[in-house]
Amino acid sequence: MKQQIKIKGTLQKYSTIIILLAMIMLSAILSSTFLTTTNIMNVLKQVSVVTILSFAQCMIIITGEIDLSLGTVAGMAGSYAVILYVATGSLVLSFGFGMILGALVGLINGLFIAYFKLPSFIVTLAMQSITFGAITLYTKGNNIYRIGDFKIFGQKELFGFLPITIFFIILMCIIMIILLRYTKFGRYLYAVGSNSESAVAAGIQVTKVKWVAFIISGIFAAIGGMVLMGRLNAGIPSEGQGYETDAIMATVVGGTSFSGGVGTATGTLVGSLIIGVLNNIMNLLGVEAYTQRIIKGFLIIIAVLFDVRSKQKKSTIKIMSK
Amino acid sequence: MKKLVSILLVLVLLVGTVVSCGKDKSTDKSSKEEAKEEVKEEAKEEAKEEVKEEAPEEKEKAEEESDASDDKKYKIALLPTDMAATFAAWLAQELEKEVEKYPNMEMTILDSKNVLSTQLANLENCVAQGYDYIILHPLEPDAEAEIVDQYVSEGTPIMMINQSDGGSELCSNVDADPIEQGAIVAEVAAEKIPENGKVVILMGPSGNSHSIGRREGFQQYLFDVRPDIEILDEQLADWEKSKGMNYMEDWMQAYPQIDAVISMNDAMALGALEAAKAAGKDENMTFYGVDGLADAVLSIKDGGLTATCVQNARKFAEIGFEIIDKVLKGEIEFEKTLIPGELIDSNNVDEWIEIHKENGQIK
């Protein structure tokens, strides 16, 4: 009896990973090119920006809030960093400036959401408009080209084999795992998200925790934006738009609960990879454009359904084993 | 601290309501009363209502406006699709330059921010405010044609620019033919793509008339002329560079040989080019796009993109204002015309770099 529960428990814990592995196996059978090194690298490169933003989204959703400004912040901070690089030629300075811009947006988001207690949905939706306006005000609708060495943030290969975009995924993933699992701040995030009132009762400064979370989210968005611009080899503010919904999708497929308090960095990475692999295999197989959208939509629903169902079972088992 | 903040907020709110009430009054009147009377009366009333210090300013304003109406300065409104979009911004810029050549006209820009309902609201407001001419850069010409016809028949002449007239019978129209744009690039592609070449196609958003039109141009002047060419795949990349890049990365895995990328705009073609470059496969491929903005021109100069077709915003502005001038003088009621597309390739790329430097796209 005990053993059975254990097996079921691991099955539930890794439900998203199982979906991903099943998809990879199926893809490998369907297409001979799928498991080549270059193709795997391609998938990782393609999901890099979304994944970086998803980590931020995951952290914010854990606290029970949402960040809809991620995409445009990425577009704005990325483009301003490109502009500064073209003007000064300093990679360190422009990368730092981009991160500061992201942090600044996070600071403002946090001010209204954590301090003034406004709904994050509204504040970050408004911030979408503000940040996009803030970049197009300067560029006047033009894009920035000939960005020189800035493209190394998206196109360089480290040690001759590791694309820098994949390095960024790994780096940000490790940061997020440490943050969520091994710091006091991380535990506070879960506490705030699962029950804000009892978190207050336990002496957690909810305002401060949420505020810091939004600042970190802004920085992550900025880094994602700079990777995106590097990959595009141009500063294109509008390219950031829409990434926030992709990030929500990856986060939720990865097992993060919309009601807060539940979610992991690795789960988010897996969620992002599920969507990435799906896009990739459909292109490899030459699936027609409109059909692709339908399949993608249904698979996401199925993945979330599978995840939710397995979690429901988990709670019933807990009661039974008592 | 909290008290202070709340007092400040209340103050802001109060000021906000006062200001917005004031605005409402004036707009209500303007729609009801006739122009000249309104200007005088408003000035009088507002002078009474407001503090004495502000009164002289109001009088000056009223005088200015009445002066203007003596000179018959035509008020023209431009409703662009989205000032954050590169081509719309360039077109607006050229129109602003062009209006300066007509001393009897002045132009106001009201951005639609890529939202159709905003554009329709702007259109409605401009008609209500009595603009003499409206230049509409429509987001959805087919959806807007009917209302445009209604406004024109009620006495406000309108021009649809850079899109089809959507079936509107009474508005002026300055447009480029998307089929021709595709055809111009297709003719170059038909020469350059090798025998039995294999190509991939990147399309704009589903149902977009320019994407469909350009595709038709490629069909007639490339694929129908060269039946030996094989189309490997065709996907919607929604005009976006990053999506063009993603598709190309996958395609290079799926197909051992790709000779050319046919794209309905430059951004997607340039995304595919980035992917091909990263894989070291760009040397033996050719890349075709449409739009001819700064990014494409610079890429052609660097030996990346092969050819593109440009919609020359300057010509749109010149010919557009010629028509507006004639309409306002009462010579014609409306005119519909097509601006021919222009090919950009390595032969004339320097010329276009100069043009884009002048309009500020290349700094």
Side-chain angles (χ1 to χ4, degrees), chain A residues 75-259:
Chain A
M76 181 200 70
S79 300
Y80 267 123
V82 167
I83 290 166
L84 189 72
Y85 177 74
V86 172
T88 64
S90 165
L91 282 175
V92 180
L93 186 70
S94 50
F95 200 79
F97 179 67
M99 296 212 311
I100 289 169
L101 275 181
L104 196 70
V105 175
L107 191 80
I108 300 169
N109 274 336
L111 173 72
F112 289 108
I113 295 160
Y115 188 78
F116 286 117
K117 310 265 185 301
L118 296 184
S120 52
F121 190 91
I122 303 298
V123 173
T124 54
L125 195 64
M127 192 52 74
Q128 244 185 38
S129 173
I130 294 168
T131 44
F132 192 60
I135 180 68
T136 42
L137 180 72
Y138 183 85
T139 61
K140 300 269 178 289
N142 292 322
N143 301 328
I144 305 111
Y145 310 109
R146 293 204 166 153
I147 64 169
D149 277 344
F150 196 90
K151 73 173 178 194
I152 67 163
F153 290 127
Q155 295 193 354
K156 194 179 163 58
E157 290 201 342
L158 298 172
F159 321 116
F161 73 96
L162 182 71
I164 192 164
T165 45
I166 300 175
F167 166 76
F168 269 111
I169 296 182
I170 297 168
L171 180 72
M172 305 308 267
C173 189
I174 291 171
I175 291 175
M176 200 41 88
I177 288 173
I178 293 173
L179 202 71
L180 291 178
R181 268 201 184 170
Y182 301 107
T183 65
K184 239 196 272 176
F185 174 72
R187 285 191 288 277
Y188 288 169
L189 286 172
Y190 287 101
V192 168
S194 48
N195 193 332
S196 187
E197 279 167 23
S198 53
V200 173
I204 297 170
Q205 289 174 292
V206 175
T207 308
K208 200 171 143 192
V209 169
K210 281 192 181 175
W211 205 333
V212 172
F214 271 99
I215 293 173
I216 295 173
S217 169
I219 296 172
F220 267 62
I223 293 173
M226 289 185 278
V227 171
L228 174 65
M229 298 314 160
R231 194 166 140 73
L232 293 175
N233 191 14
I236 308 178
S238 62
E239 284 280 350
Q241 287 175 323
Y243 270 105
E244 62 280 349
T245 40
D246 289 350
I248 293 171
M249 220 183 253
T251 312
V252 175
V253 169
T256 305
S257 161
F258 243 127
S259 45

Side-chain angles (χ1 to χ4, degrees), chain A residues 46-85:
Chain A
Q46 287 165 9
V47 299
S48 56
V49 179
V50 167
T51 311
I52 293 169
L53 299 194
S54 302
F55 289 140
Q57 193 68 272
C58 169
M59 179 184 62
I60 294 292
I61 293 181
I62 286 173
T63 69
E65 304 287 348
I66 197 159
D67 192 345
L68 298 177
S69 64
L70 285 172
T72 45
V73 174
M76 181 200 70
S79 300
Y80 267 123
V82 167
I83 290 166
L84 189 72
Y85 177 74

Side-chain angles (χ1 to χ4, degrees), chain B residues 317-337:
Chain B
E318 280 169 10
I319 290 171
F321 268 101
E322 274 172 26
I323 294 174
I324 293 172
D325 192 41
K326 279 191 245 170
V327 171
L328 290 176
K329 280 179 182 157
E331 289 169 13
I332 51 168
E333 282 184 7
F334 64 87
E335 188 177 323
K336 293 180 193 290
T337 179

